[in-house]
Amino acid sequence: MDSLNFDLKTISLREVNHYLHNDLAGSGVQQVLISNPDGAHNIAVGLNLPVEVIIDGHAGYYAAGMNQHANVTVTGSAGTGVAENMMSGTVHVKGFASNAAGATANGGLLIIDGDAGLRCGISLKGADIVVGGSVGSFSAFMAQAGNLVVLGDAGEALGDSIYEARLFVRGAVKSLGSDCEQKEMGDEEYSVLADLLKRSGHADLSPGEFRLYGSARTLYNFHVDNSGSY
């Protein structure tokens, strides 16, 4: 058996997650379809196997949180915290994502075809996020490492208190947060952006259409003159 279908109208989510955590390994199943999710929370969290999981519909909070190795697709939209604390693998939301998408994610790739809400990529720690639409205010707040690519616009306070993450925005930025500034793109940044555009299905776009934002590095160490910015 290389595929399995769980219908959440006939089986509980607890049973589905129990199977994914305990019985999937060694079963030979390579693809799991979860149908009729109807916005349920915590679908396919904590996966730690190279399996393909398709959530066929809308997912609630924290879908594919703490993901490792798995490739998870949400065919609809996702609630707060999709792919939160992801370590590796890929999470693809074909609709929209609510607040804090990819929060604290350490690795892997999060693709959102539509818009993302407030605080997308908050405290990003090394993952890559590509948003096909726009992102809300305070996106990449305290982002430490990784890359956020936004094909649309960015809301207020983009990159507030950012560390070493890189933010690539194709559209307009309403305002930059504390210690975030526009930077010149070099060969490395062009290469990273081109690769992420290709991997997320946007190879037709030119990296030259984007602007790069990152840390001005004035808040790394406390200074009383900057106390109002912390």
Side-chain angles (χ1 to χ4, degrees):
M1 180 187 297
D2 59 4
S3 64
L4 194 60
N5 181 16
F6 291 106
D7 187 342
L8 290 186
K9 282 189 175 180
T10 60
I11 188 172
S12 72
L13 178 58
R14 182 183 293 272
E15 291 176 276
V16 174
N17 282 338
H18 184 276
Y19 173 84
L20 293 173
H21 289 180
N22 297 281
D23 302 322
L24 178 62
S27 67
V29 172
Q30 298 176 4
Q31 182 187 87
V32 174
L33 173 66
I34 301 173
S35 56
N36 295 306
D38 292 336
H41 304 319
N42 306 315
I43 303 175
V45 296
L47 298 182
N48 193 19
L49 288 171
V51 62
E52 180 182 7
V53 176
I54 301 171
I55 302 170
D56 190 16
H58 302 306
Y61 295 176
Y62 304 113
M66 300 180 290
N67 186 59
Q68 295 187 68
H69 306 300
N71 295 317
V72 181
T73 300
V74 180
T75 65
S77 295
T80 296
V82 62
E84 184 209 28
N85 202 34
M86 176 168 64
M87 305 301 288
S88 61
T90 301
V91 177
H92 186 178
V93 179
K94 293 194 173 182
F96 303 98
S98 188
N99 301 335
T104 73
N106 286 262
L109 173 63
L110 170 60
I111 303 168
I112 301 165
D113 289 348
D115 296 328
L118 305 174
R119 301 180 180 87
C120 179
I122 184 174
S123 195
L124 189 68
K125 291 182 171 65
D128 297 312
I129 303 175
V130 180
V131 180
S134 299
V135 296
S137 300
F138 287 97
S139 288
F141 172 62
M142 293 189 68
Q144 297 168 37
N147 301 285
L148 171 62
V149 179
V150 182
L151 274 61
D153 302 328
E156 296 178 342
L158 176 71
D160 190 82
S161 304
I162 192 173
Y163 288 84
E164 290 302 308
R166 292 176 289 206
L167 315 178
F168 302 92
V169 183
R170 185 168 174 246
V173 175
K174 191 164 186 180
S175 66
L176 296 176
S178 296
D179 208 40
C180 186
E181 65 178 9
Q182 185 173 348
K183 293 180 171 289
E184 293 293 326
M185 280 209 285
D187 291 342
E188 179 182 355
E189 288 76 22
Y190 277 112
S191 177
V192 167
L193 178 55
D195 178 64
L196 288 174
L197 290 172
K198 181 179 180 180
R199 291 169 61 198
S200 60
H202 300 289
D204 57 316
L205 297 179
S206 168
E209 299 177 38
F210 292 77
R211 293 184 301 279
L212 172 66
Y213 300 90
S215 176
R217 301 179 180 175
T218 61
L219 299 181
Y220 271 40
N221 300 293
F222 179 81
H223 192 285
V224 67
D225 291 342
N226 295 328
S227 60
S229 297
Y230 291 100

